Amino acid sequence: MLDSPPGDLPCLTVCATLLEKAANQASLCRSCEVLGVDRLVLPRVDESWEFRKIAASAQQWQRVEYCPPDQLLQWLVQQTGYRIVALTVQATAQPLTDYAFAAKTLLLLGRELTGIPANILALCDGALTIPQYGRVESLNVQTAGAIAIYEYNRQWRSP
Amino acid sequence: MLDSPPGDLPCLTVCATLLEKAANQASLCRSCEVLGVDRLVLPRVDESWEFRKIAASAQQWQRVEYCPPDQLLQWLVQQTGYRIVALTVQATAQPLTDYAFAAKTLLLLGRELTGIPANILALCDGALTIPQYGRVESLNVQTAGAIAIYEYNRQWRSP
């Protein structure tokens, strides 16, 4: 569909290693599992009761890899074959509603308050934003991530 | 577009009066404000510090009305002119990806564990579900709500 040759299969990695709050990581883990994300990348192992509760035990089924945030740059350059797209609140980013995902996509989420550092953003193939209409600066990062995953699925996994 | 005469303006009400957890209500309030929802319906006023923090102060800008859950049925029948759609995890519901929203939509969310009671569901004009691909039973209710609002916006508010 659109950017990739016919026959490509959905293959979405969500990189959430910049997320600082365990509650957001856990909630995103649940969303990824329910929405069929191939691979979720988190900063560290968290076997706490709180994580498992918020994740609704999704960590049992979701494929998860780990990358500390200070190793993100090196990790990203190793992800060959993926189109790397950053989810941001920058007005200059492409609206998610207009974006055609590649089948093999790596969706990069940012820190709760400060987003994605400039040196990391420079490595990305594109930057997306969810159209906003309010006065609050942004959506919660896991909510935004789930919306982007839904849009990816709408393009690549709809029946 | 699709179901409504040309010239209709986006007018989305999100009814979350069945949500039991204050954290979900607050998080949804943030999502509604950012995504431009016309009206959010909550079960009760919550002026706690926790609510305001999770809502990122969105309650200052979001139009909110209140309806206790035990008055939902009477309240719903008064909402003339809206197409009332329930967001559920029922396999028989229509996939969100295939659904054409009316401009004047009332999106009804369910309780965290038990969803929407049958007598309320019977009042709705339709039931939607977000396509799922995992083993965990469902998305978090506010995450699911935000995805449905995004899809409504994609149909009615895209530039």
Side-chain angles (χ1 to χ4, degrees):
Chain A
M1 194 165 145
L2 300 165
D3 290 272
S4 302
D8 266 11
L9 294 174
C11 181
L12 178 62
T13 289
V14 174
C15 181
T17 199
L18 293 173
L19 269 61
E20 293 179 330
K21 293 185 181 175
N24 284 335
Q25 295 168 25
S27 191
L28 185 68
C29 184
R30 176 176 178 175
S31 295
C32 285
E33 202 279 337
V34 172
L35 296 174
V37 165
D38 180 54
R39 184 173 57 140
L40 169 64
V41 184
L42 293 177
R44 67 192 71 81
V45 178
D46 186 339
E47 295 182 333
S48 67
W49 179 84
E50 193 200 7
F51 188 100
R52 284 181 282 138
K53 185 178 174 219
I54 297 176
S57 297
Q59 79 286 350
Q60 289 183 54
W61 323 111
Q62 176 62 49
R63 177 182 168 201
V64 180
E65 293 181 9
Y66 299 93
C67 170
D70 62 1
Q71 292 173 27
L72 174 58
L73 199 141
Q74 300 94 302
W75 181 86
L76 269 184
V77 297
Q78 294 166 1
Q79 305 304 308
T80 50
Y82 284 92
R83 190 190 298 172
I84 303 175
V85 285
L87 191 59
T88 79
V89 290
Q90 296 182 340
T92 54
Q94 195 172 350
L96 177 64
T97 42
D98 293 346
Y99 186 75
F101 280 103
K104 196 167 176 181
T105 287
L106 191 156
L107 179 71
L108 178 64
L109 306 182
R111 286 196 191 98
E112 282 83 351
L113 289 178
T114 56
I116 300 170
N119 65 328
I120 300 289
L121 209 50
L123 276 182
C124 296
D125 300 305
L128 300 180
T129 194
I130 296 169
Q132 299 188 182
Y133 306 91
R135 297 175 72 162
V136 172
E137 189 188 359
S138 68
L139 293 164
N140 163 278
V141 65
Q142 96 79 22
T143 304
I147 288 173
I149 298 164
Y150 166 80
E151 178 59 37
Y152 173 92
N153 283 355
R154 199 184 66 79
Q155 294 181 24
W156 281 101
R157 304 188 67 149
S158 283
Chain B
M1 196 165 146
L2 299 166
D3 290 89
S4 303
D8 267 11
L9 293 174
C11 181
L12 177 63
T13 290
V14 174
C15 181
T17 200
L18 292 174
L19 269 62
E20 293 179 331
K21 293 185 182 174
N24 284 335
Q25 296 169 25
S27 191
L28 184 68
C29 184
R30 176 177 179 175
S31 295
C32 284
E33 203 279 337
V34 172
L35 296 174
V37 165
D38 180 55
R39 185 172 57 140
L40 170 64
V41 184
L42 292 178
R44 67 192 72 81
V45 178
D46 186 338
E47 295 181 334
S48 67
W49 178 85
E50 194 201 7
F51 187 99
R52 284 181 282 139
K53 185 179 174 220
I54 296 175
S57 297
Q59 79 287 349
Q60 289 183 54
W61 323 112
Q62 176 62 49
R63 177 181 168 201
V64 180
E65 293 181 9
Y66 298 94
C67 170
D70 62 1
Q71 293 173 26
L72 174 58
L73 198 141
Q74 300 94 302
W75 181 86
L76 268 183
V77 297
Q78 294 165 2
Q79 306 304 308
T80 50
Y82 284 91
R83 190 190 297 172
I84 303 174
V85 284
L87 190 60
T88 78
V89 290
Q90 296 182 340
T92 54
Q94 195 171 348
L96 177 64
T97 42
D98 293 345
Y99 185 75
F101 279 103
K104 196 167 177 181
T105 287
L106 193 156
L107 179 71
L108 178 65
L109 306 183
R111 286 196 191 99
E112 282 82 351
L113 288 179
T114 55
I116 299 170
N119 65 327
I120 300 288
L121 209 51
L123 276 182
C124 296
D125 300 305
L128 301 180
T129 194
I130 296 169
Q132 300 188 181
Y133 306 92
R135 297 175 72 163
V136 171
E137 189 187 1
S138 69
L139 293 164
N140 164 277
V141 65
Q142 96 77 24
T143 303
I147 288 173
I149 298 164
Y150 165 81
E151 178 60 36
Y152 173 92
N153 283 355
R154 198 184 67 79
Q155 295 182 23
W156 280 102
R157 304 187 67 149
S158 283

